[in-house]
Amino acid sequence: MIRIPINASRSYQVLIERGLLSKAGENIRQVKPACKAAIITDDKVANLYLATVRQSLEKEGFSVCVYIFPNGERSKTAATYLDIIEFLSKNNLKRGDLLVALGGGVTGDIAGFAAGTYLRGIDYVQIPTTLLAAVDSSVGGKTGINLSSGKNLLGMFNQPIAVLFDPDTLATLPEEERLAGLGECVKYAVLEDGELWDIMSLTPDKASIARLVELCVSCKKRIVEEDERETGGARKLLNLGHTFGHAIEKLSGYTVPHGIAVAKGLAIIADACAARGILDTSERDRIIALLKKYGFDLSVRYTAEEMAKAAVWDKKADKTDVDLVIINGIGRCSLLKVPVNKLAEFIKC
Ligand SMILES: NC(=O)c1ccc[n+]([C@@H]2O[C@H](COP(=O)([O-])OP(=O)(O)OC[C@H]3O[C@@H](n4cnc5c(N)ncnc54)[C@H](O)[C@@H]3O)[C@@H](O)[C@H]2O)c1
């Protein structure tokens, strides 16, 4: 089994092993005595994996209740969140009980926020079942929900007590969701270079996927441990490709999935950095080739001005400058403060 310790405001481990779902109970028992456990999951994941996790928890003496919501980003709302809180209360969960987030990033974000706020906070475990959730959202403690004015506007930092990833769950992932996760993996490969880049340059298969997730999580671990609350700058590096990625997501009315928007955002920033002499054109070509190898459609329907305007609405931007993650080379990214009124110009090549 792969074990990655995360030493943030709470210390916990990310466990990666094929077949881990059926051992969820015994691994959770290592960090939490048997208690009431509320599994929060969506309808798709429930059909696929709920029975295994439930049985495994019950075998270890956990008393299980289950909340199922309709899958997809549209459920990441205040209404679902409050419904979960009511559910926890009706099922009489106490401070010492547990919440288990079983699913993709939507489930992890909403369940993590519910766990952090119900009774002023109860423990929770992340069991990611998408590639995106495994390499990104299940680790690092960002949780939250969307408001009508934007994504992830209500939330908190709340670290889980454990993360359990079973690579076998990826076998049922639809192609588009797999691609969305690979967009984030390319981001990590550009941030890290080395073995991560090498694995991504070949096509990750069943044998290498656990190692790929391990390397991505290890990259996130280092950044989160240095800058858990995104105050010092290090964590902002994880936003590579996200400034314009978020803008594209927003402009498309969220019809372009997150990871695919990130891939487009990566291409925009790689092109802009190359045009400005920040990034060697041969390295830009390698990044674009890697994105194309996975079949990402890198076309963008929006003008630089439209994207810059949408990007500035991103909550991570302050009023005058945007902290843009630029690519100095593969494995060498840094932050550049770009005045809001110069953002469109920066990406015009
Ligand atoms: N907290 C963070 O640090 C962070 C980081 C990145 C993204 N996010 C958030 O994550 C969300 C996106 O995550 P996501 O892409 O996992 O979305 P998701 O949770 O909606 O999952 C995508 C789809 O895949 C289905 N699914 C999940 N696991 C499956 C499996 N094993 N087999 C078949 N189908 C499966 C789901 O039912 C859903 O329809 C966004 O809300 C984003 O804001 C959070």
Side-chain angles (χ1 to χ4, degrees):
M1 175 168 346
I2 296 167
R3 291 174 185 272
I4 307 167
I6 310 282
N7 297 306
S9 51
R10 170 184 267 153
S11 292
Y12 57 99
Q13 289 195 339
V14 179
L15 309 182
I16 305 172
E17 188 178 57
R18 291 185 66 182
L20 191 56
L21 275 198
S22 58
K23 294 189 221 154
E26 61 188 83
N27 282 289
I28 293 172
R29 268 291 295 273
Q30 305 288 320
V31 288
K32 183 87 185 166
C35 59
K36 244 181 215 172
I39 301 177
I40 312 295
T41 190
D42 71 35
D43 50 356
K44 244 192 195 177
V45 177
N47 281 334
L48 294 163
Y49 302 115
L50 175 59
T52 309
V53 174
R54 177 176 204 148
Q55 274 165 22
S56 167
L57 282 165
E58 284 175 346
K59 209 173 105 206
E60 292 296 318
F62 289 92
S63 156
V64 176
C65 56
V66 179
Y67 180 92
I68 300 174
F69 64 88
N71 73 88
E73 188 73 30
R74 268 172 303 155
S75 285
K76 206 170 124 179
T77 59
T80 314
Y81 160 72
L82 279 180
D83 210 40
I84 292 172
I85 297 290
E86 292 286 357
F87 170 83
L88 299 175
S89 174
K90 275 187 196 124
N91 281 277
N92 213 13
L93 265 82
K94 301 274 190 271
R95 263 266 175 84
D97 289 326
L98 180 71
L99 197 147
V100 177
L102 171 66
V106 166
T107 304
D109 278 11
I110 199 164
F113 184 47
T117 47
Y118 177 67
L119 301 181
R120 299 195 178 84
I122 66 170
D123 288 343
Y124 80 109
V125 171
Q126 291 268 20
I127 306 187
T129 63
T130 63
L131 182 57
L132 186 138
V135 298
D136 195 356
S137 61
S138 63
V139 179
K142 278 191 183 176
T143 70
I145 57 172
N146 304 331
L147 300 180
S148 50
S149 47
K151 272 191 68 164
N152 300 325
L153 291 181
L154 180 63
M156 69 188 296
F157 288 93
N158 182 29
Q159 303 291 344
I161 61 166
V163 181
L164 274 54
F165 172 58
D166 179 346
D168 285 347
T169 56
L170 302 186
T172 53
L173 210 57
E175 182 51 26
E176 193 176 55
E177 301 303 341
R178 199 181 71 92
L179 206 55
L182 286 169
E184 293 289 350
C185 294
V186 176
K187 173 192 86 176
Y188 283 114
V190 175
L191 283 172
E192 286 283 274
D193 197 12
E195 188 185 350
L196 195 36
W197 180 275
D198 294 342
I199 293 182
M200 288 303 289
S201 301
L202 305 167
T203 302
D205 55 11
K206 267 192 182 166
S208 57
I209 200 85
R211 179 69 179 150
L212 172 66
V213 173
E214 180 185 9
L215 290 169
C216 292
V217 170
S218 299
C219 173
K220 185 151 187 185
K221 163 197 163 72
R222 282 199 310 281
I223 289 175
V224 165
E225 287 179 353
E226 191 184 328
D227 179 23
E228 183 174 351
R229 290 181 161 256
E230 207 169 301
T231 46
R235 194 161 181 169
K236 286 185 181 156
L237 288 175
L238 292 170
N239 291 332
L240 173 62
H242 282 60
T243 303
F244 296 105
H246 279 155
I248 290 167
E249 257 184 302
K250 199 177 164 105
L251 289 166
S252 76
Y254 298 99
T255 55
V256 175
H258 178 75
I260 290 158
V262 167
K264 290 179 193 283
L266 270 168
I268 290 171
I269 211 71
D271 281 340
C273 290
R276 271 148 219 294
I278 297 168
L279 174 68
D280 203 88
T281 49
S282 66
E283 300 232 323
R284 185 267 319 269
D285 293 349
R286 288 173 67 208
I287 294 169
I288 301 294
L290 188 61
L291 289 165
K292 286 194 172 157
K293 180 173 105 75
Y294 287 102
F296 284 109
D297 168 11
L298 301 179
S299 64
V300 175
R301 292 170 41 208
Y302 311 105
T303 63
E305 284 77 14
E306 284 169 332
M307 286 191 286
K309 196 172 167 203
V312 171
W313 276 100
D314 188 315
K315 67 181 187 304
K316 291 173 191 100
D318 66 27
K319 283 193 192 97
T320 50
D321 298 305
V322 173
D323 282 321
L324 201 58
V325 187
I326 56 166
I327 310 170
N328 305 90
I330 296 170
R332 287 182 298 117
C333 294
S334 59
L335 292 175
L336 180 72
K337 270 203 188 307
V338 178
V340 161
N341 58 3
K342 295 272 189 287
L343 198 56
E345 202 179 298
F346 188 87
I347 55 167
K348 271 189 195 160
C349 305

